Amino acid sequence: MSSLMKGTAILTVGLFLSKVLGLVYVFPFYSIVGKDNVGLYQYAYIPYNIMLSVAISGLPLGVSKFVSKYNSINDYEAGRKLFKSGILVMIITGIISFIILNLLATPIASVVIKDEEQIYTVDQIASAIRWVSYALLAVPIMSLIRGFFQGYSHYMPTSVSQLIEQIVRIVVLLGGSFVVVILLHGKPETAVKFAVFAAFVGAIGGLVVLYFYWKKLSPEFNLLRENSVSSGELSYKAIYKEIIKYSIPFVFVGMASSLFQLVDMLTFNSAMVSIGLANVTDDYLTMLNFTTQKIVIIPVMLATGFSMALIPTITKHYTLGAFDTLRGELDKTYQILLFITIPASIGITLLAPGIYHVLYEQSEMGAEVLAHYAPLAILFALFSVTAAILQGIDYQKWIIFSLLTGILVKLMLNTPLIKLMEVDGALLATAIGYGVTIAINIGVIHKVLHYNSKLVIRRIILICILTLLMSVSVLIINKLLYSFAVPTNKLLEALYLLVSVGVGAIVYGYLAFRLKLAQKLLGGRITKIANKLGFK
């Protein structure tokens, strides 16, 4: 395996495990603090994520590209010059973003809370935002160090530190919440503050890991630095101009989900209050932006994980001018993406009541929001991949334009659609916003690469037919199970889910293997498995 592919694999595995942990903790945390308090957590995290993206400014990738570029011409001093000044810059931006988020905490909370009937007060939300802001003091520094390591093709420090950061955060978050609520019988609100502060403790854990890797790899860095060949005097202005050029598109891609959620956070409550629903608006927003979103993102992670592995290949073929091969890779990327997300998202829609019951609680509204939200997973995955393709072919500027256009559309439609359709209005506005963004991305890809694949359209129709057959089988088995006994506890519901998901997966998998679709899309290893199972 080439060092690039190995490095990509290490980063992907670390990121995937980190993301999985970032989903799993939600369910026990929900049961500890309860439905009425978990909303405080999401109110704090959305502005934090946006401020964090601004503070980091796509730095790991920018630094990685810069260091790698100058290392390749043996100018190791240029990377060290960036690293030294970058640490100072990250300390300053971390402190500034920490102060800004603290100052904005009350104004943000005041925009969110529109009525005395709402569950939370302005002070409660502002306090939660202030507690999470401490992480801004540590995370930017950590990101710069990760980027520096990646520039030297050392991917393990990033992967391991991401994992440890997440593990420490979750242990502190769940442990602290358990101690406060269960052992000390304290207020769940206090547990939520402790939970958001865990982001700072997790970042310290990640920094400790990076420190150990720095000690281990310093002799190598110093040896290379001694043999550094100057490529000319680089001013700090030139260095940071290059970094910003690399980084800005990645900032927008990283912020996409948070920006759409921020629109909901700032407009949802006021729209709901205006139609007389102040007493339920906090619960509905928590379902929309937190509990259901955590479930919907699972198929997106799986699909983009498979598809992103093809992006370095796309960059390579574009650079070499091998456009026919490149178009073939795009065909494969889109098909893998949809092969996974279409059945997964429709499956979540069909089984939404059981999924919401097992992971959270029995809730008709929660199940309805999840069922209507799940198909948006297809759009989220398409955005990630089309944005990555634009980055691969060096058309990053269009990502910024398409995303800002999509968010503007969401902002214009959100309030009138919420007044008309409540939560479904917010979901429809998100779908239209993402749809506009994806349409622009695909339009640019089509124009630049003259890409217009009839094969993909045929395969989408085939995947939809297979998904329809899978859906029928899931509905039948679910109906049969419910005719025996209606599940009143989570254990029986989980068993029903397991059987229904199993039947759906077997039907979809059997048809995909029989028609040789899985073998064509997922490569040699899947073909070998198919042959062993008798699908020749």
Side-chain angles (χ1 to χ4, degrees), residues 129-423:
I129 292 171
R130 289 191 188 99
W131 275 96
V132 78
S133 68
Y134 284 95
L136 292 166
L137 298 171
V139 176
I141 300 166
M142 185 166 59
S143 299
L144 179 109
I145 300 168
R146 284 172 178 166
F148 183 77
F149 280 127
Q150 285 167 226
Y152 278 84
S153 298
H154 288 297
Y155 300 99
M156 198 61 82
T158 296
S159 196
V160 174
S161 68
Q162 279 176 335
L163 205 53
I164 297 300
E165 178 194 0
Q166 193 70 284
I167 290 167
V168 170
R169 184 174 82 89
I170 290 165
V171 168
V172 172
L173 183 152
L174 291 178
S177 302
F178 182 82
V179 169
V180 170
V181 176
I182 309 297
L183 298 183
L184 301 178
H185 306 291
K187 289 181 181 177
E189 183 196 329
T190 309
V192 171
K193 289 176 185 175
F194 201 86
V196 293
F197 183 70
F200 174 70
V201 184
I204 298 299
L207 278 170
V208 169
V209 171
L210 292 173
Y211 173 76
F212 280 111
Y213 273 105
W214 181 266
K215 295 289 281 184
K216 181 183 173 184
L217 295 168
S218 277
E220 178 194 327
F221 296 154
N222 292 334
L223 186 64
L224 289 169
R225 193 180 177 189
E226 284 170 17
N227 299 310
S228 180
V229 178
S230 177
S231 57
E233 189 61 37
L234 270 173
S235 67
Y236 285 114
K237 183 182 176 182
I239 288 173
Y240 282 100
K241 189 178 177 184
E242 200 166 335
I243 291 291
I244 290 165
K245 181 189 165 189
Y246 290 148
S247 302
I248 285 177
F250 291 92
V251 178
F252 279 89
V253 174
M255 284 168 64
S257 175
S258 295
L259 287 170
F260 275 90
Q261 286 183 311
L262 183 68
V263 173
D264 283 325
M265 181 176 155
L266 296 178
T267 60
F268 186 86
N269 289 337
S270 57
M272 292 287 279
V273 168
S274 72
I275 54 173
L277 293 172
N279 60 326
V280 293
T281 185
D282 290 304
D283 279 344
Y284 285 9
L285 184 59
T286 300
M287 289 171 184
L288 174 68
N289 265 358
F290 190 68
T291 55
T292 59
Q293 194 263 352
K294 291 290 183 183
I295 300 166
V296 170
I297 216 75
I298 294 169
V300 179
M301 280 167 48
L302 289 170
T304 49
F306 275 105
S307 302
M308 290 298 184
L310 295 169
I311 299 303
T313 315
I314 288 167
T315 305
K316 177 183 152 190
H317 292 313
Y318 180 74
T319 308
L320 295 172
F323 292 110
D324 286 340
T325 312
L326 173 55
R327 283 188 277 270
E329 292 293 347
L330 290 184
D331 280 351
K332 199 172 180 183
T333 302
Y334 284 128
Q335 288 175 71
I336 291 172
L337 184 79
L338 298 168
F339 180 73
I340 296 166
T341 43
I342 290 175
S345 59
I346 299 305
I348 291 171
T349 294
L350 296 174
L351 299 171
I355 293 170
Y356 204 88
H357 181 198
V358 169
L359 297 179
Y360 299 113
E361 63 183 3
Q362 217 160 15
S363 166
E364 195 177 319
M365 189 61 196
E368 187 182 313
V369 174
L370 178 58
H372 296 175
Y373 199 159
L376 270 67
I378 301 163
L379 296 176
F380 298 157
L382 275 171
F383 166 72
S384 295
V385 170
T386 54
I389 292 166
L390 288 175
Q391 287 166 338
I393 62 173
D394 212 21
Y395 272 75
Q396 295 98 319
K397 288 177 185 176
W398 281 97
I399 299 168
I400 300 169
F401 172 74
S402 68
L403 183 59
L404 290 178
T405 305
I407 288 163
L408 185 62
V409 169
K410 162 82 173 168
L411 194 58
M412 288 165 60
L413 295 176
N414 219 44
T415 298
L417 285 177
I418 292 166
K419 287 179 179 179
L420 195 66
M421 303 163 68
E422 298 173 23
V423 181

Side-chain angles (χ1 to χ4, degrees), residues 489-496:
N489 60 67
K490 290 192 177 191
L491 194 62
L492 187 59
E493 189 81 83
L495 186 64
Y496 281 13

Side-chain angles (χ1 to χ4, degrees), residues 20-41:
V20 168
L21 287 172
L23 295 173
V24 171
Y25 83 87
V26 170
F27 314 126
F29 179 61
Y30 184 94
S31 66
I32 292 169
V33 300
K35 180 180 75 173
D36 289 343
N37 299 288
V38 80
L40 260 182
Y41 186 82

